[in-house]
Amino acid sequence: VSGTFNMIHPDVEERRSGMSRLRALAGACAELGTSVITLCSGTRSEQSMWQAHPGNAQPDAWRDLIAAMKEAADIAAEHGVIVAFEPEVSNVADSARKSRRLLDEIGSENLQVVMDGANIFHEGELPRMTEILEEAFDLLGDSVALSHAKDLDRDGEAGHLAAGTGLLDYDLYLSLLRGLPDEVPLILHGLEEEQVSESVAFVRTRLGVG
């Protein structure tokens, strides 16, 4: 279930409101029949939580993220659920390395990762796709709670295409997912309703399940 809000929004009241909603959602997870709440690591942009901002690279943004994610992990522990953030080029945790650092600094088994291969390529990095995907799984593979299947047509903040319609190396991506210590859900998104059947068929074929 999505609990995503801008964890480092410039307006502190916005952050507090998001955390309050997260607490309410965590308390409802048992009744909803789920145990994973998705998050993002946020941005200093006031326009969109998926918009990059120069302030994301500043030390105060990291400090605010650590404080917010620690609170989120404590809420998750209190309710027996997992909060899982998604590495995303427009957010503070914009790479596998920063995501690993975040996990290590929080140090909670209730904080894990949403793996999305379409969201981790900065400008100019697509030629290094194999290296970047393999590094992401090497660093984060033991902390993946679920995964996304979508696609991209360029690097940067561009992962908004249906799976199988872009440039992501799905043979490699799915192979890396299969190599994780535990099976994780694979969720299609970034697609229109009329694309669902084709994307499902694409992923199933690549997985060899018909």
Side-chain angles (χ1 to χ4, degrees), residues 137 173-183 206-209:
F137 279 83
Y173 182 51
L174 295 176
S175 173
L176 291 168
L177 285 173
R178 279 184 151 171
L180 293 176
D182 301 301
E183 289 188 356
R206 284 295 193 272
L207 286 171
V209 294

Side-chain angles (χ1 to χ4, degrees), residues 1-5 7 22 25 29 34-41 49-50 69 82-86 112-115 145-148 187:
V1 63
S2 175
T4 306
F5 67 100
M7 302 188 85
L22 175 63
L25 187 58
C29 277
T34 188
S35 60
V36 179
I37 302 173
T38 59
L39 300 173
C40 76
S41 62
M49 70 179 116
W50 309 117
M69 202 63 82
I82 290 167
V83 286
F85 70 95
E86 186 171 347
Q112 296 187 25
V113 167
V114 178
M115 181 65 76
L146 57 87
S147 58
H148 284 167
I187 301 171

Side-chain angles (χ1 to χ4, degrees), residues 8 42-44 52-63 89-94 98 101:
I8 64 158
T43 175
R44 288 302 199 204
H53 190 278
N56 292 352
Q58 298 303 310
D60 63 302
W62 188 262
R63 288 195 299 268
V89 294
S90 296
N91 289 162
V92 176
D94 64 350
K98 285 186 181 177
R101 177 186 169 192

Side-chain angles (χ1 to χ4, degrees), residues 6-205:
N6 191 344
M7 302 188 85
I8 64 158
H9 194 286
D11 185 342
V12 175
E13 288 304 317
E14 286 284 338
R15 298 182 224 166
R16 289 174 179 163
S17 176
M19 198 65 70
S20 177
R21 295 194 302 273
L22 175 63
R23 185 177 295 278
L25 187 58
C29 277
E31 186 175 353
L32 291 171
T34 188
S35 60
V36 179
I37 302 173
T38 59
L39 300 173
C40 76
S41 62
T43 175
R44 288 302 199 204
S45 171
E46 296 186 41
Q47 281 68 50
S48 168
M49 70 179 116
W50 309 117
Q51 185 175 46
H53 190 278
N56 292 352
Q58 298 303 310
D60 63 302
W62 188 262
R63 288 195 299 268
D64 286 347
L65 174 59
I66 291 296
M69 202 63 82
K70 175 66 165 60
E71 185 174 355
D74 288 346
I75 290 171
E78 178 184 342
H79 293 280
V81 298
I82 290 167
V83 286
F85 70 95
E86 186 171 347
E88 155 67 51
V89 294
S90 296
N91 289 162
V92 176
D94 64 350
S95 67
R97 290 181 182 274
K98 285 186 181 177
S99 297
R100 184 70 257 169
R101 177 186 169 192
L102 178 57
L103 290 167
D104 291 343
E105 289 192 23
I106 300 299
S108 170
E109 62 183 14
N110 297 91
L111 178 64
Q112 296 187 25
V113 167
V114 178
M115 181 65 76
D116 190 330
N119 281 354
I120 57 175
F121 299 100
H122 293 265
E123 185 176 354
E125 290 185 341
L126 274 187
R128 297 171 51 224
M129 181 178 292
T130 298
E131 174 190 346
I132 289 171
L133 283 174
E134 289 179 346
E135 179 185 58
F137 279 83
D138 285 344
L139 291 173
L140 305 174
D142 61 353
S143 300
V144 176
L146 57 87
S147 58
H148 284 167
K150 63 177 190 291
D151 224 317
L152 74 169
D153 59 0
R154 62 190 188 283
D155 48 24
E157 202 282 302
H160 306 294
L161 301 181
T165 64
L167 301 174
L168 187 64
D169 183 344
Y170 259 91
D171 289 332
L172 174 60
Y173 182 51
L174 295 176
S175 173
L176 291 168
L177 285 173
R178 279 184 151 171
L180 293 176
D182 301 301
E183 289 188 356
V184 299
L186 179 62
I187 301 171
L188 289 171
H189 79 134
L191 71 171
E192 301 296 331
E193 184 176 354
E194 60 269 20
Q195 296 176 296
V196 170
S197 295
E198 185 176 354
S199 286
V200 169
F202 169 79
V203 172
R204 289 177 63 85
T205 298

